[in-house]
Structure formats: C-alpha cells, structure tokens
Amino acid sequence: MTCRATLHCENCVQRHSALCSAIRARAVSVCPLLPEFDGLLPGSEPVDVSLKGGRFGILHSGLLLRCGAETGMDIVSIGEPLGEAFRGHREMRVTAVVPSEICWYDVHEVEAAALRDPRLYSALASASSQASGLRRIFTRMRSTLAPVERLAGCLAICAHRLADRDRLGALRLTLQCRHEDLATLLALSGTQLDEARNELVRRGLIVLHADGGIEIPQLALLEDLAGLDLPLAAPVVPAERLVNRLRRI
C-alpha cells in the first residue's frame, strides 16, 4: 500500500505532535483518506463530523466547539482525535472558531495499527487524556465562575492556542465564531456575554479593535481572573495565514 501524502500533510502544523507523528510513522498501513482533509470556516451552522462511516479525524489547525444536546458545548483543541476510536463513540457536530483543518484516516486502519504499535496506542491515549482535561476546565468554568471570569478563562485558553503578535509585539486574538455559539460554550445568555466583554474592556484586560481583533495587554491577568494556570501551547499557524491557505485549496 502506498501512502498518498499531500503538501498539506507534509507541512501540517501538527507535524511535531506526538499523535500525528505516530500515525505518520505507520504510513505504510495508515494512509490518509481522499480528500485528506476538510477545511471548516467559522460563522456557519454546526457541521456533522460523524465517525460512523469509518473515519478517524484529527484537528490539525484552528479551534472547534463541540456541540452536544446534553452538555452544551465544549472545546476541541489542536491534536485532539475527533471521537473516541476505542470507546465506540462515533458522532460529533462541531462549529469552527477560526478557519480549521481536519485530517481524516480510516478508523479501522488506525485501530489495527495501534494494536501493533505501542507508540501509536500511547499517543492516542495521551491525546484523549489531554482533551478530557481541557473539557474538565470548561465544565468547572461553566458551573462555578461568574460570567466575566468565564469569558476571561475562555479568552486565555484561546490566546494560548490562536493568538499572534502584531508588528508592535502586542498579543492579538481573532475569534470568528458566532456570538450565540460562544455564549452557549460559556453557558451564558447573549446579554451576559456582552456585559462580560464590556467589563473586561472596562478593566483594561482586553482592547477591542475595529477589525474584530482582540488585543490582550497582559495574558497573565486574564488567567488570574479565571483562576487558570495554563502551560504554553505549541505554536500554531496564525489565523490570517490559515485563511490564505484555505483560499489556495
């Protein structure tokens, strides 16, 4: 079997991820499906990324909100497998926060390779564990924090994964998701979300720009407000470069 690697796969922002590296090490037995990836753009209705058809997806760039009828929403971070391949969970609906890319593999090939390769099995378990940890943070935020603290925590998490430095060195973040999706993620009404945003502006913790960008003068203060202690995430492709990449596809 010949692996059909594309330029996207070879230059994937997750090429240093333990899970992606482990899958690529099994290139002879785990090949990308065609098309190798999907590009999801923000602002639209939630997208069905059901795994019932035998697909195994990994979020390679961007940030997604997982839509759940019972749990509301939680976040899907870079490097997270979409669905629990070894637990029978095969359905998910997501909405993009920024332009995002998903690479798809055959779930049966991944499962079979993991049984033969302890490195891949360990990488799958680790990725799922990290994703569960992030969802626990959001569960705590939704259930225990005040609205302004919830938004501060959400912006801090997004900044670690998506923010870029502008030409002056300021930390800039652009969230393109729908207003109602962000409110649902934080278990807030639209009015509460607006009030929380305005309070962060009043305290000088964020600066809103006319182009929709959010400047974060001191990220540590947002984390302190939400009671978070976040490790630095691996660098990701800035949102504007993701937009340009998607336009070339």
Side-chain angles (χ1 to χ4, degrees):
M1 185 180 293
T2 302
C3 182
R4 299 180 292 270
T6 66
L7 182 63
H8 163 76
C9 290
E10 292 174 355
N11 293 294
C12 173
V13 297
Q14 282 298 100
R15 59 186 177 276
H16 299 305
S17 158
L19 177 55
C20 297
S21 297
I23 285 185
R24 284 183 176 80
R26 301 295 309 185
V28 173
S29 58
V30 180
C31 293
L33 295 177
L34 294 179
E36 285 84 358
F37 70 96
D38 288 333
L40 301 182
L41 295 175
S44 59
E45 294 294 326
V47 176
D48 181 12
V49 291
S50 170
L51 304 185
K52 282 186 173 179
R55 298 183 299 172
F56 176 86
I58 302 174
L59 178 61
H60 280 283
S61 63
L63 196 67
L64 302 177
L65 304 181
R66 187 193 323 261
C67 312
E70 298 179 356
T71 59
M73 284 189 177
D74 51 30
I75 203 164
V76 181
S77 187
I78 287 179
E80 180 179 348
L82 300 185
E84 301 289 341
F86 297 97
R87 298 180 185 175
H89 183 61
R90 294 289 191 269
E91 294 185 25
M92 184 188 300
R93 290 179 64 80
V94 296
T95 182
V97 175
V98 295
S100 305
E101 294 174 347
I102 303 172
C103 281
W104 294 106
Y105 301 88
D106 186 298
V107 67
H108 305 295
E109 291 181 357
V110 174
E111 289 177 336
L115 293 176
R116 299 190 299 268
D117 187 340
R119 177 189 175 193
L120 177 54
Y121 189 92
S122 176
L124 283 165
S126 177
S128 294
S129 176
Q130 292 175 12
S132 297
L134 188 57
R135 284 193 287 276
R136 282 195 295 272
I137 290 176
F138 268 89
T139 298
R140 180 185 67 82
M141 285 171 49
R142 283 192 296 254
S143 60
T144 65
L145 300 186
V148 67
E149 295 167 347
R150 296 182 204 180
L151 181 57
C154 180
L155 292 177
I157 290 171
C158 290
H160 274 281
R161 287 157 174 78
L162 299 172
D164 192 23
R165 297 281 179 181
D166 64 19
R167 287 176 294 181
L168 299 178
L171 197 63
R172 295 286 293 269
L173 175 67
T174 301
L175 300 181
Q176 302 171 38
C177 60
R178 299 184 306 170
H179 184 268
E180 58 265 37
D181 287 340
L182 187 57
T184 301
L185 172 66
L186 298 175
L188 299 174
S189 68
T191 300
Q192 287 177 312
L193 178 59
D194 291 339
E195 291 174 347
R197 177 201 61 207
N198 294 340
E199 178 63 17
L200 291 179
V201 171
R202 188 190 67 79
R203 298 188 190 186
L205 297 180
I206 63 173
V207 178
L208 303 180
H209 292 271
D211 62 359
I214 304 171
E215 183 179 334
I216 303 176
Q218 297 188 62
L219 180 56
L221 293 182
L222 279 182
E223 295 177 0
D224 290 344
L225 180 58
L228 298 178
D229 182 14
L230 300 172
L232 287 176
V236 298
V237 177
E240 63 270 18
R241 274 188 276 164
L242 283 174
V243 172
N244 292 334
R245 179 187 293 178
L246 289 171
R247 285 172 178 167
R248 292 197 299 267
I249 296 167

